[in-house]
Amino acid sequence: MVARLVVVEGLDGAGKNTLTTALVGELTDRGVSVGRLAFPRYGTLHADLAADALHGGQAGAADSPHAMALLFALDRHAALGELGDLISSHDVVLLDRYVASNAAYTAARLGPGRQDEVLRWIGELEFDRLGLPTPDLQILLDTPVALAAERAGSRETADPGRTRDRYERDAALQAATGEIYRRLAATGWRSPWQVLGVDPDVRRLADLVAGH
Ligand SMILES: Nc1ncnc2c1ncn2[C@@H]1O[C@H](COP(=O)(O)OP(=O)(O)OP(=O)(O)O)[C@@H](O)[C@H]1O
Ligand SMILES: Cc1cn([C@H]2C[C@H](O)[C@@H](COP(=O)(O)O)O2)c(=O)[nH]c1=O
């Protein structure tokens, strides 16, 4: 059996990690074997260069929208083997962020006039040229910007080592990213999407993911 590849997308602080953890628990309880991976894969070369740029470090020279998008894409390209192993050994593979994150954030940075061009570019680069597998389902956790920002802020307060990066501090960028995510979902960008509101029903989501 080939695993269903399911992606959880949303703004910084939307609750993706929390939802993914709950979904892994619910699916596992049902006897579904679940693989899990989050992007960027902190601790790897390209992801750490991207993170450094986001935090204003030495790699800040790479902080143009296209350069950042390439770093995130190369991190996924380097994960192809790991992703293939997960897909071949589980019923379902859950990804916390994937190609649509790159599409949404990069398009938001470039502004309205260049959105179509960048959405096409990212899709062609990552899926068609780099050969990343197409998701079976993309889930947009559509948490309102203010609530997502509040959650990201309280996480920083609880753990001062987890400082917010420049994307997380930029309310306008988050709002623009949220709009692009909704557009990606409405147009079925690259695969079917499911849009969820705040505090989604994890059991119903598990039904959908497990294909019941
Ligand atoms: N449904 C919820 N109700 C209350 N708090 C929540 C909920 N979901 C997540 N949180 C809290 O909000 C914060 C952000 O959640 P989480 O880390 O899951 O978000 P995320 O989307 O993965 O964030 P990021 O993309 O920035 O890593 C955490 O402190 C988490 O405990
Ligand atoms: C995978 C990926 C991420 N980003 C952006 C989105 C976030 O603001 C940061 C880091 O993500 P995290 O969930 O806070 O760890 O990077 C992006 O622009 N492109 C991507 O492909």
Side-chain angles (χ1 to χ4, degrees), residues 12 39-40 42 54 72 76 97-98 101-102 105 167-168:
D12 295 284
F39 291 105
Y42 295 107
L54 282 174
F72 287 118
R76 273 183 289 279
R97 292 197 185 281
Y98 194 48
S101 281
N102 227 8
Y105 283 84
Y167 284 9
E168 291 171 328

Side-chain angles (χ1 to χ4, degrees), residues 143-167:
T143 307
V145 179
L147 179 58
E150 188 185 312
R151 287 178 178 175
S154 61
R155 187 175 52 192
E156 184 181 54
T157 310
D159 176 8
R162 175 82 162 81
T163 52
R164 284 177 300 159
D165 61 41
R166 53 162 296 206
Y167 284 9

Side-chain angles (χ1 to χ4, degrees), residues 29-193:
D29 286 351
R30 298 179 185 200
V32 177
S33 84
V34 188
R36 177 178 184 171
L37 192 57
F39 291 105
R41 297 174 307 150
Y42 295 107
T44 64
L45 175 64
H46 297 109
D48 283 355
L49 284 171
D52 187 55
L54 282 174
H55 283 281
Q58 296 233 332
D63 189 23
S64 79
H66 287 90
M68 289 294 284
L70 277 173
L71 287 174
F72 287 118
L74 289 173
D75 175 42
R76 273 183 289 279
H77 182 245
L80 266 173
E82 188 179 354
L83 200 46
D85 288 347
L86 285 173
I87 290 171
S88 60
S89 56
H90 293 90
D91 301 321
V92 171
V93 175
L94 293 179
L95 302 180
D96 180 338
R97 292 197 185 281
Y98 194 48
V99 181
S101 281
N102 227 8
Y105 283 84
T106 309
R109 285 189 67 181
L110 284 170
R114 305 193 54 192
Q115 281 178 13
D116 288 344
E117 168 202 328
V118 83
L119 298 182
R120 192 167 49 249
W121 174 65
I122 298 268
E124 287 176 3
L125 170 72
E126 300 211 35
F127 292 120
D128 305 336
R129 287 175 179 264
L130 297 182
L132 284 151
T134 305
D136 297 296
L137 176 67
Q138 302 188 76
I139 296 165
L140 172 57
L141 184 52
D142 194 16
T143 307
V145 179
L147 179 58
E150 188 185 312
R151 287 178 178 175
S154 61
R155 187 175 52 192
E156 184 181 54
T157 310
D159 176 8
R162 175 82 162 81
T163 52
R164 284 177 300 159
D165 61 41
R166 53 162 296 206
Y167 284 9
E168 291 171 328
R169 291 175 184 278
D170 187 338
L173 178 76
Q174 296 291 329
T177 303
E179 280 183 25
I180 296 165
Y181 266 135
R182 284 189 284 278
R183 193 175 140 209
L184 294 178
T187 57
W189 188 79
R190 291 281 170 164
S191 62
W193 284 71

